[in-house]
Amino acid sequence: MKNKYLVALLLLAVSFTACKDDKLAPVQPNAVKPTAVTEALPHDTDDPSIWINPTDPSKSIVVGTDKDTDGALYAFDLNGKILKKSITLKRPNNVDIAYGLIIDGKKVDVAVTTEREENRIRIFSLPDLEPIDNGGIPVFEGDTERDPMGIALYTRPSDGKIFAIVGRKTGPSGSYLWQYELSGNGKFAAAKVVRKFGTYSGKKEIEAIAVDNELGFVYYCDEQAGIRKYKADPALNDNKELAFFGQKDFKADHEGIAIYKKTDSTGYILVSNQQANSFMVYPREGANGNPNNHPLLAEVPTSTIECDGADVTNVNLGPKYKNGLFVAMSNGMTFHYYAWDLIQKRIDEAKK
């Protein structure tokens, strides 16, 4: 009972703070309420990613960034309790997770984050959240505009190779994003750049990135412009933009992206409409026979405030999350957990 009162008080406090700022919309009266709220972090939450425990999914964890000069990655259990803090990082921005990176002949699950003030990415083993990158891997070397922010990991189905797609605070249109192939170098992880791509409007920045491994696409938010779609496999040597959608659907800004998979080829793309405190939902498989046609299906109001990052899984994580978990960053230095069924219900209602 105490936990329920704590969640209610936290939501009320955060909503009041938002209402005091004319630039922020309050939480909508019909907003979906979180199933759980994490313990608060010291500084500024930004982006979460879900690691699925292969032997017991109910013991899966959420890894989230605490974005500050004295920041870190934090691991939470499915009740929102902090399990572990990583080594100190200088402004870790976004984080993503992949499974089975070969390090010293063994498969290792990894969390990769951008360390913005050091112009590098950091790689941690999971679930122990220990660094395995020999101090970090520089990114955007040779460019004057570095400042890494967004990251997404692509696992190529054909051979299991893992690639990191990294965005930055600003950069040139056409090569804003750099893609790195991850590998093992002895006991440590290493990376080499294999691709540069990505149109940029110049309006704000590119931070939110997500990859659909099964369908082979990468999506990223060109903030205040729209959501752009490309092929994810660098071996295809294809940097043609496949789609540019959501251009007129948002209040501001286009932020965190999460992909919910109903099957290997169907589901939803959810994108944070940051200043409206909602998520815009698009068909993963496209529409009207066109896989690159992504019309708006629904807008789901949530209790998150100014959400920067989100992640989702369809895996049964136990009684609370039988059809999966949706997790979103919120002001108040927390992450909000939503049972997927709560989100699905709103999508279904919008379709009627």
Side-chain angles (χ1 to χ4, degrees):
M1 186 65 71
K2 288 183 179 179
N3 287 338
K4 289 183 180 179
Y5 286 133
L6 182 61
V7 169
L9 287 170
L10 179 60
L11 289 174
L12 182 63
V14 173
S15 298
F16 178 73
T17 300
C19 290
K20 289 194 299 180
D21 189 334
D22 291 339
K23 295 181 180 179
L24 298 182
V27 169
Q28 298 180 38
N30 64 336
V32 182
K33 300 297 187 293
T35 307
V37 176
T38 67
E39 293 182 283
L41 296 186
H43 303 297
D44 181 18
T45 51
D46 195 90
D47 187 50
S49 192
I50 303 166
W51 176 75
I52 308 299
N53 187 310
T55 57
D56 185 352
S58 70
K59 294 181 180 178
S60 298
I61 62 175
V62 172
V63 176
T65 58
D66 187 31
K67 187 175 65 175
D68 192 83
T69 296
D70 188 30
L73 293 181
Y74 283 79
F76 303 88
D77 67 15
L78 295 183
N79 293 314
K81 178 181 173 60
I82 295 172
L83 298 174
K84 186 171 182 180
K85 174 189 175 183
S86 75
I87 60 169
T88 298
L89 300 170
K90 291 188 176 180
R91 199 173 175 85
N93 213 101
N94 284 35
V95 63
D96 202 7
I97 285 170
Y99 301 82
L101 180 66
I102 304 298
I103 304 288
D104 203 21
K106 299 177 182 178
K107 289 185 175 181
V108 179
D109 297 346
V110 293
V112 186
T113 188
T114 48
E115 190 174 16
R116 190 165 158 191
E117 291 180 4
E118 295 289 347
N119 294 323
R120 63 190 179 190
I121 58 173
R122 300 301 310 266
I123 303 178
F124 295 81
S125 57
L126 290 173
D128 59 355
L129 209 58
E130 291 295 330
I132 56 169
D133 56 9
N134 199 25
I137 300 167
V139 290
F140 304 112
E141 288 186 291
D143 268 25
T144 55
E145 299 169 318
R146 298 178 68 182
D147 216 14
M149 294 181 68
I151 191 165
L153 302 182
Y154 166 55
T155 301
R156 188 161 58 195
S158 61
D159 57 10
K161 286 189 176 181
I162 298 172
F163 302 85
I165 299 169
V166 187
R168 43 187 159 165
K169 181 67 175 177
T170 189
S173 182
S175 59
Y176 193 108
L177 302 169
W178 286 21
Q179 187 166 2
Y180 295 81
E181 181 179 337
L182 305 185
S183 62
N185 182 11
K187 295 182 178 180
F188 298 108
K192 65 177 181 181
V193 63
V194 293
R195 181 189 184 193
K196 302 174 183 180
F197 73 101
T199 299
Y200 172 47
S201 68
K203 290 186 175 180
K204 195 171 182 185
E205 62 200 29
I206 293 169
E207 180 178 9
I209 311 168
V211 174
D212 188 325
N213 288 326
E214 291 83 359
L215 297 185
F217 298 125
V218 55
Y219 300 89
Y220 65 86
C221 285
D222 188 338
E223 291 185 22
Q224 299 185 357
I227 304 138
R228 301 185 188 272
K229 176 182 180 181
Y230 287 79
K231 292 181 180 177
D233 187 353
L236 297 175
N237 195 28
D238 186 351
N239 289 341
K240 179 183 177 182
E241 186 171 279
L242 302 174
F244 184 29
F245 60 98
Q247 297 179 55
K248 298 180 180 179
D249 301 333
F250 287 70
K251 180 179 180 181
D253 288 328
H254 301 71
E255 286 284 354
I257 307 173
I259 301 172
Y260 184 83
K261 300 166 184 177
K262 299 194 77 169
T263 68
D264 280 350
S265 60
T266 65
Y268 306 107
I269 303 165
L270 300 99
V271 184
S272 171
N273 188 358
Q274 189 181 55
Q275 302 303 323
N277 301 322
S278 65
F279 279 83
M280 315 307 279
V281 184
Y282 303 88
R284 177 189 177 213
E285 62 272 23
N288 301 319
N290 181 354
N292 296 319
N293 178 21
H294 299 283
L296 182 65
L297 294 177
E299 179 175 6
V300 178
T302 60
S303 298
T304 59
I305 300 288
E306 283 200 298
C307 179
D308 274 315
D311 196 16
V312 69
T313 180
N314 64 358
V315 174
N316 183 344
L317 301 183
K320 288 184 181 178
Y321 307 107
K322 289 183 178 180
N323 288 306
L325 165 67
F326 178 68
V327 55
M329 164 267 169
S330 180
N331 280 2
M333 300 171 289
T334 63
F335 296 98
H336 289 188
Y337 295 0
Y338 298 88
W340 174 255
D341 290 344
L342 299 174
I343 307 297
Q344 184 67 60
K345 179 182 177 182
R346 298 302 181 94
I347 297 171
D348 292 341
E349 288 172 352
K351 290 179 179 179
K352 293 179 180 178

